[in-house]
Amino acid sequence: MTDEDEVARLRRQLSDLHGLFVLGMLMTETRDADEIVALALGSAPALGPCSSVEAQLAAGSEAEVVHPVTAWSAAYPLHGPGGLRGHLVVGADAAPPAEAEFLWRVLAHQTGTSLANAELHQQALAETAAADAAKERLAATVSDLERTVEIHEALARVSAAGGGEAGIAAAVAELTGRGVAVEDRFGNLRAWAGPGRPDPYPKPDRRGRAELIRRAQAEGRPLRADGRLVALAQPRDDVLGVLVLADPDGDAGPLDTVALQHGAVVLAMELAHVRTLAETELRLRRDLVSDLTTGTDEAGAHLRAQALGHDLHQPHQVLALGGAETDELADAVDAAVTRLNLTALTGRRSDTVLLLAAAPVATTDLLAAVGDRLGRAVAIGVGRICSSPADYPESCREALLALDVRLNSADPHGATTYADLGIFRLLAAGGPNPELHAFVQQWLGALLEYDARHRSDLVRTLIEYLERGGNYDETAQAVAVHRSTLRYRLQRIREISGYDLADVDSRFNLHVATRAWRILQGTPR
């Protein structure tokens, strides 16, 4: 799906949601149950592909649902004040999109509420000739109906105006006069409106929170718990958030519950929309990083970056990060970019996270921020500074090579810049290199063969010894042996290889050979 198709899909979804709100207001003002059902049946096919739609009206939770003989079908409960009034049964030749199921669920909720309102209105009309008490009940019912319409209209305005989570909480708080919280599914506060905000906001027990969510999903309506009314913002099976109404005295009325229910529906649509936009933006950013690091046209790259709010005209450089599980590392890098206020785009290449950041980048700060988030150190390879999109592929290649060298060094944690690799640039150049293999075989062949035949560890001992500049104590600690054992191993290395470790030229060539061997053993990126 292209970006234009994605934008068109989001616009159609917003148009459908707006139409549903208008339909809900029309249903609420309709006093005839048959007309309400007709409106629902007539609107369902416009919300998604279906071959049949039927309203099976039967009061009570034990009502039996008759499914159509189709490849796919679903029954959406017609809930409203007073209980269940039946189901909206939809059949289709194939499983419909998730957006269609969500819209049908909202349609069923609006239909159930409107049927309940119609029933209340009809009952009120039947009692108009009764005593003053009946007239008072009618006046109260009419007031409730008007209040329900006000609730619909107020929340519809918030949705249309793009008020977000804070706007939804403020609207429900104004409608009920109570404190209202928007929480994520784990109980973290995202928005608060109205009186009585707790300070600090309590963090629920994880197990108790999971049980509350499970119960609310099973009940399918607002749930009373710990002096609060809780409603789930749940477009489908995934709970995106929770809308909470403060009710410490347990005196919240039916209209308060209606406001909470409708607020939860609007919140579900808002959070689903925000999630879709976030996922789309993340995909677009990763696609742009992939194209920039493999080669793309300059004009198109600048336009795409500008659409994402990123300026490619300033100098950038490519950084490659590794040494941790990719998804976990990507999350840590995103958090570090936010924490350090970096101008950057993130992407992936195999098991590596790529960061295209405005130059220069303080790698020490980046290492610390990523390490703090992960709880362990990682490695960074840094490529050249890029003045135009055409420079990104080469900078990416350099960053990946620098990362490989770093990961295959004695200390795989830290940052290595390609410009500082020196002779190891030649070793990490990649591609078939018979001369390099022959060089390694000349200097390490006898030791490698001995290790393979005797299952010994002489090559690793030599690597640690050379990497530590010939320091006996540090080498012995690195290979976990006593100094006398290390001295014996070094003597065996001299005997088997035929090279004198005290000779400057031999020592240099052995060091280069060990580095080359480690790079050749690495996994190409």
Side-chain angles (χ1 to χ4, degrees):
M1 179 182 293
T2 66
D3 295 340
E4 291 78 4
D5 292 338
E6 181 66 12
V7 171
R9 186 186 71 80
L10 291 174
R11 286 177 175 170
R12 288 195 300 271
Q13 185 178 17
L14 288 174
S15 177
D16 289 338
L17 293 173
H18 179 72
L20 271 178
F21 273 111
V22 174
L23 177 64
M25 294 172 63
L26 182 60
M27 282 182 172
T28 302
E29 296 174 355
T30 302
R31 308 308 185 194
D32 185 87
D34 292 337
E35 291 183 18
I36 293 171
V37 171
L39 285 171
L41 296 180
S43 302
L47 302 178
C50 62
S51 56
S52 67
V53 58
E54 180 184 5
Q56 298 181 14
L57 302 180
S61 59
E62 303 299 325
E64 182 178 357
V65 177
V66 179
H67 285 269
V69 184
T70 54
W72 177 93
S73 66
Y76 302 100
L78 302 175
H79 279 299
L84 183 69
R85 284 168 174 74
H87 293 81
L88 181 68
V89 182
V90 179
D93 296 331
E99 293 90 343
E101 284 200 73
F102 174 64
L103 294 173
W104 286 331
R105 191 184 304 277
V106 175
L107 176 62
H109 177 80
Q110 292 176 334
T111 303
T113 301
S114 299
L115 286 173
N117 290 339
E119 289 176 10
L120 290 173
H121 185 72
Q122 292 299 326
Q123 292 172 8
L125 290 177
E127 294 173 357
T128 54
D132 291 340
K135 292 181 181 179
E136 291 176 1
R137 287 197 300 272
L138 175 59
T141 300
V142 172
S143 176
D144 287 351
L145 290 173
E146 292 174 345
R147 187 62 175 159
T148 300
V149 172
E150 291 177 9
I151 291 170
H152 276 283
E153 292 178 342
L155 291 169
R157 285 194 298 270
V158 170
S159 178
E165 301 169 42
I168 294 168
V172 176
E174 184 177 350
L175 290 167
T176 61
R178 298 171 179 271
V180 176
V182 176
E183 301 174 346
D184 64 19
R185 68 169 298 148
F186 307 107
N188 300 302
L189 181 66
R190 296 179 61 89
W192 176 277
R197 172 176 174 170
D199 187 19
Y201 198 81
K203 175 69 175 178
D205 171 70
R206 185 174 63 178
R207 183 174 299 177
R209 181 69 173 190
E211 175 61 19
L212 175 66
I213 297 293
R214 187 197 65 77
R215 286 175 51 209
Q217 287 180 303
E219 296 262 348
R221 57 182 176 80
L223 186 69
R224 190 178 300 278
D226 300 326
R228 313 189 314 164
L229 277 175
V230 177
L232 301 182
Q234 181 180 5
R236 292 189 68 192
D237 297 331
D238 190 14
V239 177
L240 301 183
V242 178
L243 191 63
V244 178
L245 191 70
D247 185 28
D249 299 324
D251 57 355
L255 288 175
D256 293 328
T257 302
V258 169
L260 182 64
Q261 284 179 307
H262 285 291
V265 170
V266 176
L267 179 62
M269 292 186 290
E270 169 69 19
L271 295 178
H273 178 60
V274 169
R275 170 183 279 189
T276 300
L277 289 178
E279 290 174 349
T280 300
E281 181 176 350
L282 178 61
R283 178 178 58 80
L284 292 176
R285 286 176 175 270
R286 288 180 176 174
D287 289 347
L288 178 57
V289 169
S290 176
D291 290 346
L292 283 170
T293 54
T294 55
T296 187
D297 68 290
E298 183 168 340
H302 281 297
L303 288 174
R304 291 166 62 188
Q306 185 177 352
L308 293 170
H310 192 87
D311 181 13
L312 283 181
H313 290 281
Q314 56 185 320
H316 281 64
Q317 59 191 141
V318 180
L319 292 83
L321 293 93
E325 192 275 326
T326 311
D327 289 338
E328 188 180 9
L329 178 57
D331 290 341
V333 171
D334 288 337
V337 167
T338 301
R339 173 177 164 184
L340 299 175
N341 196 28
L342 298 179
T343 300
L345 297 169
T346 58
R348 299 186 186 185
R349 174 78 63 85
S350 184
D351 58 347
T352 302
V353 176
L354 297 179
L355 184 67
L356 276 60
V361 180
T363 55
T364 302
D365 294 341
L366 181 60
L367 281 168
V370 174
D372 287 347
R373 180 63 178 256
L374 288 175
R376 61 183 182 278
V378 296
I380 298 179
V382 184
R384 71 179 64 184
I385 293 179
C386 308
S387 58
S388 72
D391 298 332
Y392 284 99
E394 183 63 18
S395 182
C396 179
R397 185 190 72 84
E398 294 175 354
L400 291 172
L401 291 177
L403 177 63
D404 275 336
V405 171
R406 187 77 202 194
L407 290 173
N408 288 288
S409 68
D411 180 12
H413 303 133
T416 295
T417 301
Y418 181 81
D420 296 333
L421 288 181
I423 191 174
F424 295 109
R425 290 194 203 178
L426 303 177
L427 303 182
N433 193 334
E435 289 294 331
L436 185 60
H437 283 274
F439 178 80
V440 171
Q441 186 63 30
Q442 174 187 346
W443 289 90
L444 296 181
L447 291 174
L448 291 170
E449 182 180 350
Y450 184 89
D451 279 350
R453 190 167 61 249
H454 296 87
R455 296 184 179 180
S456 56
D457 215 6
L458 294 183
V459 173
R460 176 171 175 261
T461 301
L462 177 61
I463 290 172
E464 298 294 346
Y465 176 74
L466 295 174
E467 290 288 342
R468 284 161 177 76
N471 186 296
Y472 267 63
D473 290 333
E474 291 182 6
T475 305
Q477 184 177 5
V479 296
V481 298
H482 193 271
R483 280 177 58 97
S484 60
T485 303
L486 174 62
R487 189 176 293 106
Y488 170 75
R489 286 189 183 182
L490 293 176
Q491 180 59 37
R492 290 294 294 146
I493 289 171
R494 293 185 184 93
E495 294 170 355
I496 295 168
S497 69
Y499 295 115
D500 183 3
L501 297 183
D503 179 71
V504 174
D505 290 338
S506 296
R507 191 161 174 161
F508 172 77
N509 285 319
L510 284 169
H511 197 179
V512 172
T514 57
R515 279 287 186 96
W517 177 75
R518 295 177 75 174
I519 291 171
L520 290 174
Q521 302 307 303
T523 302
R525 295 178 187 276

mmCIF file of all heavy atoms in Angstrom, residues 306-334:
data_model
loop_
_atom_site.group_PDB
_atom_site.id
_atom_site.type_symbol
_atom_site.label_atom_id
_atom_site.label_comp_id
_atom_site.label_asym_id
_atom_site.label_seq_id
_atom_site.Cartn_x
_atom_site.Cartn_y
_atom_site.Cartn_z
ATOM 1 N N GLN A 306 11.163 16.238 4.462
ATOM 2 C CA GLN A 306 10.416 17.429 4.863
ATOM 3 C C GLN A 306 9.010 17.072 5.313
ATOM 4 O O GLN A 306 8.487 17.649 6.271
ATOM 5 C CB GLN A 306 10.363 18.420 3.691
ATOM 6 C CG GLN A 306 9.707 19.758 4.031
ATOM 7 C CD GLN A 306 9.747 20.728 2.865
ATOM 8 O OE1 GLN A 306 10.393 20.461 1.862
ATOM 9 N NE2 GLN A 306 9.060 21.838 2.991
ATOM 10 N N ALA A 307 8.369 16.102 4.636
ATOM 11 C CA ALA A 307 7.030 15.664 5.030
ATOM 12 C C ALA A 307 7.022 15.055 6.427
ATOM 13 O O ALA A 307 6.004 15.088 7.124
ATOM 14 C CB ALA A 307 6.490 14.651 4.016
ATOM 15 N N LEU A 308 8.178 14.507 6.844
ATOM 16 C CA LEU A 308 8.303 13.923 8.182
ATOM 17 C C LEU A 308 8.849 14.923 9.193
ATOM 18 O O LEU A 308 9.142 14.557 10.331
ATOM 19 C CB LEU A 308 9.222 12.699 8.124
ATOM 20 C CG LEU A 308 8.691 11.497 7.346
ATOM 21 C CD1 LEU A 308 9.782 10.444 7.161
ATOM 22 C CD2 LEU A 308 7.490 10.888 8.062
ATOM 23 N N GLY A 309 9.000 16.185 8.771
ATOM 24 C CA GLY A 309 9.493 17.217 9.678
ATOM 25 C C GLY A 309 10.981 17.142 9.922
ATOM 26 O O GLY A 309 11.468 17.572 10.976
ATOM 27 N N HIS A 310 11.735 16.587 8.934
ATOM 28 C CA HIS A 310 13.177 16.427 9.114
ATOM 29 C C HIS A 310 13.903 17.168 8.000
ATOM 30 O O HIS A 310 13.544 17.072 6.829
ATOM 31 C CB HIS A 310 13.542 14.941 9.090
ATOM 32 C CG HIS A 310 14.935 14.660 9.556
ATOM 33 N ND1 HIS A 310 15.247 14.459 10.879
ATOM 34 C CD2 HIS A 310 16.095 14.550 8.878
ATOM 35 C CE1 HIS A 310 16.540 14.241 10.989
ATOM 36 N NE2 HIS A 310 17.077 14.294 9.791
ATOM 37 N N ASP A 311 14.965 17.897 8.363
ATOM 38 C CA ASP A 311 15.724 18.698 7.409
ATOM 39 C C ASP A 311 17.010 17.977 7.032
ATOM 40 O O ASP A 311 17.935 17.841 7.833
ATOM 41 C CB ASP A 311 16.056 20.065 8.026
ATOM 42 C CG ASP A 311 16.824 20.964 7.060
ATOM 43 O OD1 ASP A 311 16.882 20.628 5.859
ATOM 44 O OD2 ASP A 311 17.350 21.992 7.507
ATOM 45 N N LEU A 312 17.075 17.483 5.785
ATOM 46 C CA LEU A 312 18.269 16.781 5.312
ATOM 47 C C LEU A 312 19.333 17.725 4.766
ATOM 48 O O LEU A 312 20.414 17.277 4.380
ATOM 49 C CB LEU A 312 17.885 15.780 4.211
ATOM 50 C CG LEU A 312 17.226 14.477 4.646
ATOM 51 C CD1 LEU A 312 16.947 13.607 3.439
ATOM 52 C CD2 LEU A 312 18.082 13.721 5.646
ATOM 53 N N HIS A 313 19.049 19.014 4.700
ATOM 54 C CA HIS A 313 20.020 19.953 4.147
ATOM 55 C C HIS A 313 21.204 20.167 5.088
ATOM 56 O O HIS A 313 22.286 20.551 4.630
ATOM 57 C CB HIS A 313 19.346 21.291 3.842
ATOM 58 C CG HIS A 313 18.406 21.225 2.681
ATOM 59 N ND1 HIS A 313 18.832 21.246 1.373
ATOM 60 C CD2 HIS A 313 17.052 21.114 2.630
ATOM 61 C CE1 HIS A 313 17.789 21.171 0.563
ATOM 62 N NE2 HIS A 313 16.694 21.091 1.299
ATOM 63 N N GLN A 314 21.021 19.945 6.384
ATOM 64 C CA GLN A 314 22.134 20.099 7.304
ATOM 65 C C GLN A 314 23.003 18.836 7.270
ATOM 66 O O GLN A 314 22.523 17.751 6.925
ATOM 67 C CB GLN A 314 21.626 20.357 8.719
ATOM 68 C CG GLN A 314 20.670 19.297 9.252
ATOM 69 C CD GLN A 314 20.109 19.675 10.597
ATOM 70 O OE1 GLN A 314 20.795 20.196 11.453
ATOM 71 N NE2 GLN A 314 18.824 19.388 10.795
ATOM 72 N N PRO A 315 24.295 18.932 7.613
ATOM 73 C CA PRO A 315 25.187 17.761 7.579
ATOM 74 C C PRO A 315 24.699 16.664 8.532
ATOM 75 O O PRO A 315 24.258 16.946 9.651
ATOM 76 C CB PRO A 315 26.541 18.330 8.028
ATOM 77 C CG PRO A 315 26.448 19.791 7.744
ATOM 78 C CD PRO A 315 25.017 20.174 7.964
ATOM 79 N N HIS A 316 24.779 15.430 8.066
ATOM 80 C CA HIS A 316 24.401 14.266 8.863
ATOM 81 C C HIS A 316 25.542 13.251 8.824
ATOM 82 O O HIS A 316 26.454 13.361 8.017
ATOM 83 C CB HIS A 316 23.146 13.598 8.296
ATOM 84 C CG HIS A 316 21.866 14.292 8.647
ATOM 85 N ND1 HIS A 316 21.560 15.573 8.226
ATOM 86 C CD2 HIS A 316 20.792 13.878 9.372
ATOM 87 C CE1 HIS A 316 20.363 15.924 8.663
ATOM 88 N NE2 HIS A 316 19.878 14.910 9.362
ATOM 89 N N GLN A 317 25.441 12.261 9.696
ATOM 90 C CA GLN A 317 26.320 11.112 9.578
ATOM 91 C C GLN A 317 25.547 9.874 10.014
ATOM 92 O O GLN A 317 24.574 9.964 10.777
ATOM 93 C CB GLN A 317 27.603 11.273 10.402
ATOM 94 C CG GLN A 317 27.430 11.487 11.887
ATOM 95 C CD GLN A 317 28.727 11.898 12.554
ATOM 96 O OE1 GLN A 317 28.737 12.727 13.427
ATOM 97 N NE2 GLN A 317 29.850 11.321 12.140
ATOM 98 N N VAL A 318 25.986 8.745 9.492
ATOM 99 C CA VAL A 318 25.308 7.482 9.776
ATOM 100 C C VAL A 318 26.024 6.786 10.919
ATOM 101 O O VAL A 318 27.255 6.677 10.921
ATOM 102 C CB VAL A 318 25.285 6.574 8.536
ATOM 103 C CG1 VAL A 318 24.570 5.256 8.858
ATOM 104 C CG2 VAL A 318 24.591 7.284 7.374
ATOM 105 N N LEU A 319 25.242 6.316 11.888
ATOM 106 C CA LEU A 319 25.771 5.525 12.998
ATOM 107 C C LEU A 319 25.090 4.161 12.981
ATOM 108 O O LEU A 319 23.870 4.068 12.780
ATOM 109 C CB LEU A 319 25.528 6.198 14.355
ATOM 110 C CG LEU A 319 26.296 7.497 14.631
ATOM 111 C CD1 LEU A 319 25.572 8.688 14.019
ATOM 112 C CD2 LEU A 319 26.454 7.710 16.139
ATOM 113 N N ALA A 320 25.854 3.119 13.167
ATOM 114 C CA ALA A 320 25.324 1.757 13.241
ATOM 115 C C ALA A 320 25.504 1.249 14.665
ATOM 116 O O ALA A 320 26.603 1.319 15.221
ATOM 117 C CB ALA A 320 26.040 0.846 12.251
ATOM 118 N N LEU A 321 24.424 0.759 15.270
ATOM 119 C CA LEU A 321 24.466 0.292 16.664
ATOM 120 C C LEU A 321 24.163 -1.203 16.706
ATOM 121 O O LEU A 321 23.246 -1.680 16.033
ATOM 122 C CB LEU A 321 23.458 1.051 17.534
ATOM 123 C CG LEU A 321 23.748 2.537 17.747
ATOM 124 C CD1 LEU A 321 23.017 3.374 16.697
ATOM 125 C CD2 LEU A 321 23.328 2.991 19.152
ATOM 126 N N GLY A 322 24.920 -1.929 17.491
ATOM 127 C CA GLY A 322 24.735 -3.363 17.651
ATOM 128 C C GLY A 322 25.137 -3.809 19.036
ATOM 129 O O GLY A 322 25.531 -3.015 19.884
ATOM 130 N N GLY A 323 25.048 -5.123 19.240
ATOM 131 C CA GLY A 323 25.433 -5.677 20.535
ATOM 132 C C GLY A 323 24.266 -5.962 21.450
ATOM 133 O O GLY A 323 24.452 -6.221 22.628
ATOM 134 N N ALA A 324 23.010 -5.900 20.900
ATOM 135 C CA ALA A 324 21.826 -6.206 21.710
ATOM 136 C C ALA A 324 20.722 -6.676 20.768
ATOM 137 O O ALA A 324 20.816 -6.523 19.542
ATOM 138 C CB ALA A 324 21.365 -4.972 22.497
ATOM 139 N N GLU A 325 19.676 -7.269 21.333
ATOM 140 C CA GLU A 325 18.536 -7.732 20.537
ATOM 141 C C GLU A 325 17.927 -6.545 19.801
ATOM 142 O O GLU A 325 17.747 -5.482 20.370
ATOM 143 C CB GLU A 325 17.504 -8.387 21.458
ATOM 144 C CG GLU A 325 16.420 -9.168 20.742
ATOM 145 C CD GLU A 325 15.280 -8.268 20.307
ATOM 146 O OE1 GLU A 325 14.994 -7.307 21.041
ATOM 147 O OE2 GLU A 325 14.683 -8.524 19.237
ATOM 148 N N THR A 326 17.595 -6.734 18.503
ATOM 149 C CA THR A 326 17.308 -5.600 17.628
ATOM 150 C C THR A 326 16.109 -4.784 18.090
ATOM 151 O O THR A 326 16.176 -3.549 18.131
ATOM 152 C CB THR A 326 17.090 -6.084 16.182
ATOM 153 O OG1 THR A 326 18.156 -6.963 15.822
ATOM 154 C CG2 THR A 326 17.064 -4.907 15.225
ATOM 155 N N ASP A 327 14.976 -5.435 18.406
ATOM 156 C CA ASP A 327 13.783 -4.678 18.807
ATOM 157 C C ASP A 327 14.043 -3.889 20.090
ATOM 158 O O ASP A 327 13.662 -2.717 20.207
ATOM 159 C CB ASP A 327 12.585 -5.626 19.019
ATOM 160 C CG ASP A 327 12.060 -6.186 17.702
ATOM 161 O OD1 ASP A 327 12.301 -5.558 16.655
ATOM 162 O OD2 ASP A 327 11.414 -7.248 17.732
ATOM 163 N N GLU A 328 14.686 -4.528 21.038
ATOM 164 C CA GLU A 328 14.995 -3.865 22.304
ATOM 165 C C GLU A 328 15.959 -2.707 22.086
ATOM 166 O O GLU A 328 15.808 -1.619 22.656
ATOM 167 C CB GLU A 328 15.601 -4.894 23.270
ATOM 168 C CG GLU A 328 15.799 -4.377 24.694
ATOM 169 C CD GLU A 328 16.390 -5.424 25.619
ATOM 170 O OE1 GLU A 328 16.799 -6.490 25.110
ATOM 171 O OE2 GLU A 328 16.457 -5.176 26.827
ATOM 172 N N LEU A 329 16.958 -2.927 21.220
ATOM 173 C CA LEU A 329 17.937 -1.879 20.936
ATOM 174 C C LEU A 329 17.268 -0.710 20.213
ATOM 175 O O LEU A 329 17.558 0.456 20.506
ATOM 176 C CB LEU A 329 19.070 -2.456 20.084
ATOM 177 C CG LEU A 329 20.174 -1.487 19.643
ATOM 178 C CD1 LEU A 329 20.824 -0.826 20.853
ATOM 179 C CD2 LEU A 329 21.214 -2.207 18.809
ATOM 180 N N ALA A 330 16.361 -1.006 19.263
ATOM 181 C CA ALA A 330 15.672 0.064 18.527
ATOM 182 C C ALA A 330 14.857 0.931 19.484
ATOM 183 O O ALA A 330 14.849 2.164 19.365
ATOM 184 C CB ALA A 330 14.775 -0.540 17.451
ATOM 185 N N ASP A 331 14.157 0.310 20.432
ATOM 186 C CA ASP A 331 13.386 1.082 21.413
ATOM 187 C C ASP A 331 14.310 1.959 22.258
ATOM 188 O O ASP A 331 13.983 3.117 22.561
ATOM 189 C CB ASP A 331 12.593 0.133 22.324
ATOM 190 C CG ASP A 331 11.458 -0.561 21.593
ATOM 191 O OD1 ASP A 331 11.058 -0.069 20.523
ATOM 192 O OD2 ASP A 331 10.979 -1.610 22.082
ATOM 193 N N ALA A 332 15.460 1.411 22.644
ATOM 194 C CA ALA A 332 16.408 2.177 23.462
ATOM 195 C C ALA A 332 16.982 3.349 22.675
ATOM 196 O O ALA A 332 17.185 4.443 23.223
ATOM 197 C CB ALA A 332 17.530 1.262 23.950
ATOM 198 N N VAL A 333 17.247 3.149 21.386
ATOM 199 C CA VAL A 333 17.780 4.238 20.559
ATOM 200 C C VAL A 333 16.739 5.339 20.401
ATOM 201 O O VAL A 333 17.053 6.531 20.506
ATOM 202 C CB VAL A 333 18.219 3.699 19.179
ATOM 203 C CG1 VAL A 333 18.565 4.846 18.237
ATOM 204 C CG2 VAL A 333 19.421 2.774 19.339
ATOM 205 N N ASP A 334 15.474 4.952 20.150
ATOM 206 C CA ASP A 334 14.407 5.963 20.040
ATOM 207 C C ASP A 334 14.297 6.779 21.326
ATOM 208 O O ASP A 334 14.144 8.012 21.283
ATOM 209 C CB ASP A 334 13.068 5.282 19.736
ATOM 210 C CG ASP A 334 12.996 4.753 18.316
ATOM 211 O OD1 ASP A 334 13.741 5.257 17.457
ATOM 212 O OD2 ASP A 334 12.201 3.823 18.065
#
